[in-house]
Amino acid sequence: MVKHAAGQYAAGSLFSLQGKKVLLTGASGFLGRTMLQALLDNGATVLALGGSERVEALTPSLNQRYGPGRVQPYRVDLHDVPAVEKALASIDREHPVVDVLVNNAHELGPRTGFNVPEGHLEDATFDGWMRNLTAGVYWAVMTTQRIGAGMKKRGQGSIVNISTMYAVVAPSPRLYEGTDFINPPGYSASKAALLAFTRYTASFWGPYGVRANAILPGPFSNTDEKSENSVTPDDPFLERLKARTVLGRVGTPCELVGALLYLASDASTFTTGQALVVDGGWTII
């Protein structure tokens, strides 16, 4: 049972990550960059694991802003399993206490079937399926096994897996009619597997004080930059997404921050094995 001293029910204390160390994967991506800043803004030191050079490029300015060592990048090709295992072993040696693990990384591009003919069910390739399953669930398995084991030994820790609303509902084919966009079946399947893995971890490691939960984002369209999985602000496809939500709009990355801070912090010490859907009401109708 967690005991709170006077003043600790204040939101600033309850949701604080002051003094906590967080391992965040995919820290340089569309959603990951906002997660990184939110973790830093709320006191965490962030170990950023991923394949992009962008976090390395951002690290000096972030450490100047938040303090030396607040961001520590670990660049590795996440599809290179031996290299990932080596990087995780280094993190384990250099940072024996990691309080929070946020599994956010996924490969969103042509090789996983996004917005290419191979993204359609009848044309999906073995390589596309395997890359989705590897990115969607096995990357989280690797980090959980190595970093979560330390949490289990210490008797506390929080694991937050970033899944998707498509782990619980199917994409509507009408969204994609007449467009170049497609959401591949391997993505939904891998993220549903991640959700099952989240519950499994929560079940088996709950007795050791380790919590595991998932955030299921809805339509968070990248309109800010040109990338393999972005959409222009004036694209009719974006209007279809907006019309499908109860709130009549798509989400912005900052609207995931509340869910992230809740699950990462002591505000959720009696919450585990749950799927927190942040989708503007998409899945309720």
Side-chain angles (χ1 to χ4, degrees):
M1 182 176 68
V2 177
K3 295 181 179 180
H4 293 278
Q8 287 190 329
Y9 291 118
S13 298
L14 198 58
F15 289 85
S16 174
L17 298 175
Q18 192 68 42
K20 292 186 181 292
K21 194 165 289 185
V22 180
L23 174 58
L24 170 66
T25 69
S28 64
F30 172 56
L31 299 179
R33 293 193 297 272
T34 298
M35 293 180 186
L36 173 60
Q37 185 172 333
L39 294 167
L40 293 168
D41 281 342
N42 287 275
T45 294
V46 182
L47 314 176
L49 178 66
S52 172
E53 74 284 352
R54 284 181 291 185
V55 168
E56 289 180 322
L58 287 171
T59 294
S61 61
L62 289 172
N63 283 335
Q64 184 176 18
R65 176 179 177 183
Y66 291 100
R70 289 287 301 282
V71 179
Q72 300 182 36
Y74 291 83
R75 186 180 177 188
V76 61
D77 178 1
L78 292 174
H79 280 292
D80 186 345
V81 172
V84 174
E85 291 174 341
K86 183 178 179 180
L88 290 172
S90 296
I91 291 172
D92 207 21
R93 288 192 305 271
E94 297 164 7
H95 307 278
V97 177
V98 175
D99 304 285
V100 182
L101 168 61
V102 182
N103 287 308
N104 169 62
H106 193 93
E107 181 184 3
L108 303 174
R111 296 193 68 179
T112 49
F114 282 88
N115 309 328
V116 293
E118 294 79 11
H120 293 273
L121 177 57
E122 60 271 26
D123 298 315
T125 65
F126 177 81
D127 181 65
W129 270 99
M130 291 303 103
R131 290 184 78 88
N132 264 306
L133 292 169
T134 299
V137 64
Y138 192 64
W139 288 353
V141 170
M142 287 192 290
T143 56
T144 298
Q145 286 178 322
R146 171 65 73 165
I147 304 303
M151 295 178 176
K152 179 182 175 185
K153 183 177 180 180
R154 293 189 303 275
Q156 62 180 10
S158 175
I159 299 171
V160 183
N161 295 322
I162 308 302
S163 182
T164 172
M165 66 180 181
Y166 286 150
V168 294
V169 297
S172 169
R174 288 185 292 274
L175 284 173
Y176 306 101
E177 290 176 352
T179 78
D180 294 326
F181 295 100
I182 190 63
N183 194 296
Y187 180 70
S188 296
S190 68
K191 290 298 190 177
L194 179 61
L195 191 52
F197 178 64
T198 301
R199 292 191 290 260
Y200 189 99
T201 304
S203 177
F204 276 79
W205 284 3
Y208 301 93
V210 179
R211 298 182 294 111
N213 294 284
I215 297 175
L216 280 60
F220 284 79
S221 298
N222 185 355
T223 60
D224 297 335
E225 61 186 11
K226 181 65 176 177
S227 69
E228 293 175 327
N229 204 36
S230 62
V231 57
T232 59
D234 59 349
D235 196 301
F237 179 68
L238 193 62
E239 295 305 313
R240 293 185 186 183
L241 295 179
K242 293 177 181 179
R244 183 61 181 76
T245 69
V246 170
L247 296 180
R249 61 181 178 85
V250 296
T252 59
C254 65
E255 291 176 301
L256 288 174
V257 168
L260 176 64
L261 294 180
Y262 170 64
L263 293 176
S265 71
D266 289 345
S268 59
T269 51
F270 202 54
T271 301
T272 194
Q274 300 305 305
L276 184 51
V277 184
V278 185
D279 68 350
W282 184 293
T283 57
I284 68 170
I285 57 174

